Amino acid sequence: MADFEIGDVVKGKKFGPMDHDFTGIVEKVYNNSIMVSIHDFDPADKSGVNELNGRAVLRQKETKMIKAVPRKEKDENEDDKGKKSKTRRTRTRTSRSKKSTAKAKTTKKRATKAKTSRKKTTKKSTKKADK
């Protein structure tokens, strides 16, 4: 299996709406597949290319490299810099307590407003019934 990078020119096998093989440029590299923008294809496959919006996701095992872009040597330190840290950042307790008390106050206000509005509507309805 070749090591693909963005910008490589590759040849893909026919699949789905495509009746012939085609060539394209690698746009994105996944674990076992690559996304290719289709550039050179058989004129009979024009409707298939339009259906795929000019792109295809191909298996790396079934794709052949035609022309590779120049590669840069990777250091071990560069690989470590690209990975995200697994440590989580936590908020302090003071910020949590302030937010939770503020939420509690607003919910209490809403609840009391809802109760008073319900009481008013029930009183009105009972007065009308008494008349």
Side-chain angles (χ1 to χ4, degrees):
M1 182 167 59
D3 185 31
F4 295 99
E5 287 194 18
I6 297 173
D8 291 343
V9 179
V10 295
K11 183 176 183 179
K13 291 184 177 181
K14 62 181 181 176
F15 74 97
M18 307 289 287
D19 295 329
H20 307 288
D21 293 347
F22 57 92
T23 60
I25 298 175
V26 176
E27 287 187 353
K28 187 163 177 85
V29 180
Y30 299 103
N31 290 337
N32 297 316
S33 57
I34 54 175
M35 183 190 306
V36 177
S37 64
I38 302 170
H39 287 281
D40 188 27
F41 56 92
D42 192 88
D45 291 334
K46 188 172 184 175
S47 64
V49 173
N50 287 336
E51 185 178 323
L52 295 170
N53 295 324
R55 294 182 179 165
V57 177
L58 307 172
R59 293 184 193 123
Q60 288 185 5
K61 292 181 180 179
E62 296 180 358
T63 308
K64 294 182 181 177
M65 177 101 56
I66 296 175
K67 183 181 177 185
V69 294
R71 305 283 197 249
K72 294 180 182 177
E73 293 182 20
K74 292 182 179 179
D75 294 334
E76 291 180 19
N77 295 336
E78 288 180 13
D79 292 338
D80 293 338
K81 289 179 184 176
K83 294 180 182 178
K84 290 183 179 179
S85 173
K86 290 186 179 180
T87 58
R88 294 177 126 185
R89 294 183 184 176
T90 56
R91 290 187 272 173
T92 59
R93 289 185 181 181
T94 55
S95 64
R96 284 185 188 170
S97 62
K98 287 179 184 177
K99 288 182 180 179
S100 61
T101 55
K103 284 183 181 180
K105 288 179 182 178
T106 56
T107 53
K108 285 180 183 177
K109 287 180 183 177
R110 288 181 187 162
T112 54
K113 284 182 182 179
K115 286 180 183 177
T116 55
S117 64
R118 282 186 218 145
K119 288 178 183 176
K120 290 179 183 176
T121 55
T122 54
K123 287 181 181 177
K124 288 179 181 177
S125 61
T126 55
K127 287 182 181 178
K128 288 181 182 178
D130 292 336
K131 290 182 181 179

